[in-house]
Amino acid sequence: MTDQKTVITLLCERAADVDGICDKAGNCTTVDGLKVVKLPCSGMVQPLMIEGAFKAGASGVIVTGCQIGDCYYREGNRMIRERLLGERTPGLKKTVERRRVLALWLSRLQRGKFEAEAKEFVAYIKGLEPLAAAPAAAPKPAPAAKPAAPAVAPSEDKKEDAKAAIESKPTAETTPADADKAAEAKVDAATTSGDKPAEEKKAEESKAEEKKD
Amino acid sequence: MKTNIWTQIFLVTEDLLNKISTSKYNPLYYHGALPQFIMYILFLSGLLLFAYYVPTIDNAYFSKNLVNAYTSVAYITNDIPFGAVIRAVHRYAGDAMVVAILIHMVRVWFTDRYRQYRWVQWESGIVLLLMVLFIGQTGYYLIWDERSLLLTRMTVSALEVVPVIGEPLRNWFLNGRTISNLTLSNFLFIHIGLSFSLLFALWIHYVRMSRPVITPPPALNYILMTIIFAVVYFFPITATKIADLNSQPTSMDIDVFFLLPYAVLGALGTTGFWISMILITAALCLIPYPFTNKKPVESAEVVDSKCTGCSFCFKDCPFQAIEMVPAPAGSRFKLLATVKPYRCSGCGVCVGACAFDAIDLPNLLDSDVNEKIKQLANSQSA
Ligand code: HEM
Ligand code: SF4
Ligand code: SF4
């Protein structure tokens, strides 16, 4: 199941309108291997969902919300953006390869843009070596940092559509100020901040469940 | 998700603006922050005017060299360095405030951000709008030119017809039975007192929003200031004639932003005026309610047994809909998240914030989402 190259899109139902290019089940008809799961808001995306997608065999994940600043629910897209950047807990686990996660912030009218970006990303993912079955496998270290660029920084001017692409760069430290600057373009996610508290709490949780049983 | 034509108007405009200014500087994404910023301009320019303004209609001790509201305004305009500029900034910023508020209001309305769990914002918004409009009117009384006199008399005529409390209302408004030296102190008090009361009304406006966006980026502020200064430069405030209590001015220039109610009053008479004002206000207040509450929000639910009291959902909820309460006796944790259903928008941000699957949208369980992800990830790509 590892070489199917499925890319899962976690999409806000108010962001880029994909109804014309997707069937009910969530298969995108114009981009090969692209699947779409709709949510009321991109803010509902849990990092666990992204991890789950990789665990289930997806080879890439796109998170799509509305333009930053236009969230119908005020702050949803900012929240998931900060989670992906590691500025807000809970964040993505270190074990998730950052270059396989793409964030797009596109308004309802920007379906064309969505299609183009998604196509490029799927092609990029297809070019990567297949993920090992267990997502626990360590992320590709340093070399991933630059090669990822084409997928996340396509030709058109990047500033226009505020997107954060999350790529692998395990040593990067992203300060809030940096992140602010990088808002419109690609961003190296800090992979360290944000994870620890969540994991500690996870330990608590399992204890909690023991107790319940 | 269907969008209607009204939402579409804003989507198209905003897309255009995003192309020009990027989303970070899109003025429509600061629809609430802009009126807030203009309010600070008004506070500051108003403070400077206040320093030299004399709220009387006459001053017997200086009757040779008359010092009253009108002459103090003239003094500010003609003798204080940049006084005319400050005065014009104050006036045009007031106009800009109304424009900004109307854009804000229309945007939240057209993009469906005004009802259900947002009703407090809408209703307090109406109060803010009425306050701002009234503050603007009182500003025009303060100048004490012929228009001020006419406005005052018209207001008195409208107040006097109010049943039962008409007379006390008039006496309160004039600070006595007739226009006197004390009248303008009351006008000044209303003008400034209500302005500061805006802060209280804004607090209510914001109480159900976490982290309201109240500061536009500096770049937008500079552009706004430039526009205001350009208007000040090209349309300086023209001199008017001092109010004379013995005269009967009958016509005046109408400031379309603040003085329209007086046009209504002039056209419809006092009864028609009150009826139309009450109807308009009631209609505005009712906008969130009609008949249109399509589907009720299904609010998020906490799975008590899983909640660890970590407060992440509480911090991230955009609508202040989650409260952390002491956990029930016997729990291992100190706190428990609880959702206030009447505040909840059903957005699911709390689901995204919870690392323990302890909070759920009843109509879209995250277990279902995960199931769907799994199934799609596994399905053969065509
Ligand atoms: C002094 C005038 C006003 C100021 C300074 C102001 C400011 C704001 C601000 C800063 C927000 C938060 C926006 C955000 O962060 O998402 C907001 C939201 C809101 N305002 Fe106002 N407002 C004013 C008047 C009004 C008026 C006249 C109305 C309508 C009658 C109104 C209706 C609303 C509504 C419904 C929201 C919620 C929008 C949302 O949740 O996205 N406001 N306002
Ligand atoms: S995020 Fe989850 S575990 Fe933490 S307080 Fe909220 S519901 Fe409870
Ligand atoms: S769904 Fe959750 S985050 Fe959204 S308003 Fe309701 S309680 Fe708050």
Side-chain angles (χ1 to χ4, degrees):
Chain A
M1 77 180 191
T2 45
D3 49 2
Q4 279 168 16
K5 312 287 189 196
T6 330
V7 171
I8 303 273
T9 305
L10 300 171
L11 173 92
C12 161
E13 61 179 0
R14 291 171 193 269
D17 179 8
V18 298
D19 284 354
I21 55 169
C22 278
D23 64 17
K24 279 247 161 55
N27 299 297
C28 179
T29 46
T30 57
V31 184
D32 226 21
L34 187 67
K35 316 280 173 176
V36 175
V37 179
K38 280 196 197 169
L39 300 170
C41 176
S42 59
M44 188 176 172
V45 173
Q46 277 174 346
L48 286 173
M49 290 174 184
I50 298 174
E51 286 152 27
F54 286 116
K55 239 176 241 163
S59 39
V61 171
I62 305 180
V63 175
T64 306
C66 303
Q67 289 275 352
I68 300 290
D70 188 32
C71 178
Y72 177 77
Y73 294 111
R74 302 194 55 250
E75 302 186 301
N77 53 5
R78 284 183 214 271
M79 292 294 171
I80 180 60
R81 186 173 155 265
E82 288 175 15
R83 287 192 219 296
L84 292 175
L85 291 169
E87 291 161 9
R88 184 172 282 277
T89 43
L92 267 181
K93 280 225 179 67
K94 271 184 237 174
T95 49
V96 174
E97 253 189 82
R98 294 309 203 262
R99 58 178 172 165
R100 290 179 186 270
V101 182
L102 173 71
L104 295 172
W105 313 117
L106 298 171
S107 87
R108 186 135 192 90
L109 306 177
Q110 292 180 294
R111 175 172 68 199
K113 186 113 194 169
F114 172 77
E115 246 183 310
E117 298 271 346
K119 254 193 193 121
E120 201 162 343
F121 184 65
V122 171
Y124 165 73
I125 292 287
K126 285 199 169 141
L128 296 178
E129 58 224 88
L131 270 176
K140 297 274 139 205
K146 277 312 140 190
V152 295
S155 46
E156 264 193 80
D157 57 334
K158 295 135 246 169
K159 282 194 182 145
E160 169 192 309
D161 52 12
K163 71 185 152 68
I166 316 301
E167 47 181 277
S168 166
K169 199 174 178 190
T171 47
E173 279 287 338
T174 308
T175 64
D178 286 347
D180 231 40
K181 263 183 271 155
E184 307 95 338
K186 71 193 169 68
V187 180
D188 295 322
T191 50
T192 42
S193 57
D195 283 335
K196 269 213 192 98
E199 266 154 29
E200 280 165 19
K201 292 283 163 31
K202 269 232 105 72
E204 281 179 24
E205 180 210 19
S206 44
K207 276 186 233 149
E209 275 176 356
E210 273 168 34
K211 189 188 155 226
K212 198 179 60 194
D213 295 341
Chain B
M1 183 61 34
K2 288 257 183 304
T3 46
N4 63 24
I5 169 94
W6 307 114
T7 313
Q8 204 76 10
I9 294 175
F10 273 91
L11 278 174
V12 171
T13 334
E14 282 164 19
D15 255 31
L16 199 72
L17 286 170
N18 280 337
K19 290 216 171 75
I20 301 168
S21 66
T22 76
S23 65
K24 198 169 173 186
Y25 298 104
N26 188 334
L28 285 174
Y29 294 166
Y30 298 94
H31 53 108
L34 284 171
Q36 175 94 27
F37 175 71
I38 299 173
M39 189 177 76
Y40 295 135
I41 302 181
L42 286 165
F43 279 176
L44 201 64
S45 52
L47 186 69
L48 293 171
L49 297 177
F50 178 67
Y52 294 96
Y53 180 74
V54 180
T56 61
I57 60 171
D58 192 359
N59 190 320
Y61 298 105
F62 293 94
S63 51
K64 272 214 192 101
N65 183 13
L66 186 73
V67 175
N68 73 1
Y70 179 86
T71 57
S72 68
V73 171
Y75 179 72
I76 291 170
T77 317
N78 303 324
D79 297 317
I80 305 264
F82 297 106
V85 176
I86 302 281
R87 186 180 163 207
V89 165
H90 195 65
R91 175 174 298 185
Y92 293 128
D95 295 345
M97 175 105 176
V98 176
V99 175
I101 293 178
L102 289 179
I103 292 175
H104 170 58
M105 181 173 167
V106 171
R107 184 180 191 265
V108 294
W109 185 8
F110 281 14
T111 60
D112 193 21
R113 291 168 156 104
Y114 64 96
R115 54 200 175 90
Q116 294 174 319
Y117 50 92
R118 283 173 165 122
W119 72 269
V120 171
Q121 283 96 308
W122 180 267
E123 301 303 341
S124 59
I126 299 295
V127 172
L128 280 164
L129 178 66
L130 295 179
M131 285 171 76
V132 167
L133 292 178
F134 189 56
I135 293 167
Q137 286 174 23
T138 55
Y140 280 104
Y141 310 156
L142 293 177
I143 306 167
W144 208 241
D145 55 6
E146 286 184 320
R147 174 164 56 188
S148 311
L149 181 59
L150 180 58
L151 290 174
T152 306
R153 288 191 175 138
M154 287 176 86
T155 312
V156 167
S157 72
L159 290 178
E160 277 176 334
V161 299
V162 176
V164 190
I165 54 165
E167 221 180 277
L169 265 183
R170 180 204 64 197
N171 294 347
W172 162 76
F173 182 69
L174 294 179
N175 215 357
R177 309 187 135 264
T178 52
I179 297 174
S180 73
N181 269 338
L182 298 178
T183 304
L184 283 199
S185 4
N186 194 36
F187 288 174
L188 186 62
F189 171 71
I190 299 174
H191 187 72
I192 296 180
L194 268 185
S195 296
F196 283 101
S197 311
L198 282 176
L199 296 174
F200 176 72
L202 279 172
W203 171 63
I204 295 177
H205 199 56
Y206 298 157
V207 102
R208 288 196 177 182
M209 291 185 281
S210 323
R211 302 163 288 269
V213 178
I214 52 170
T215 10
L220 282 186
N221 296 343
Y222 297 141
I223 295 174
L224 182 78
M225 289 303 297
T226 312
I227 296 174
I228 292 179
F229 277 117
V231 178
V232 168
Y233 182 79
F234 288 111
F235 304 95
I237 298 179
T238 47
T240 47
K241 274 170 68 187
I242 189 168
D244 174 358
L245 284 180
N246 300 317
S247 73
Q248 297 289 339
T250 49
S251 69
M252 61 178 168
D253 291 340
I254 289 282
D255 173 308
V256 288
F257 300 105
F258 291 113
L259 299 182
L260 276 184
Y262 288 91
V264 176
L265 180 56
L268 301 182
T270 47
T271 318
F273 168 78
W274 283 116
I275 292 177
S276 53
M277 289 301 129
I278 289 170
L279 284 182
I280 291 173
T281 311
L284 286 174
C285 290
L286 285 176
I287 284 173
Y289 297 104
F291 355 100
T292 62
N293 278 355
K294 294 162 209 158
K295 48 175 194 228
V297 173
E298 289 195 53
S299 58
E301 281 166 11
V302 179
V303 184
D304 290 5
S305 59
K306 286 191 186 174
C307 174
T308 65
C310 71
S311 301
F312 290 170
C313 57
F314 161 76
K315 285 187 199 128
D316 289 1
C317 171
F319 296 95
Q320 304 265 305
I322 294 177
E323 195 182 344
M324 301 305 298
V325 299
S331 164
R332 301 185 53 248
F333 304 104
K334 287 205 180 80
L335 296 170
L336 175 72
T338 46
V339 178
K340 298 178 178 161
Y342 53 94
R343 288 188 172 197
C344 176
S345 68
C347 62
V349 168
C350 50
V351 178
C354 184
F356 309 102
D357 281 346
I359 193 160
D360 259 323
L361 296 183
N363 55 355
L364 186 64
L365 301 179
D366 59 352
S367 52
D368 293 348
V369 175
N370 283 322
E371 197 45 51
K372 179 141 194 220
I373 292 174
K374 211 184 235 164
Q375 172 211 326
L376 282 176
N378 276 318
S379 69
Q380 205 60 47
S381 59

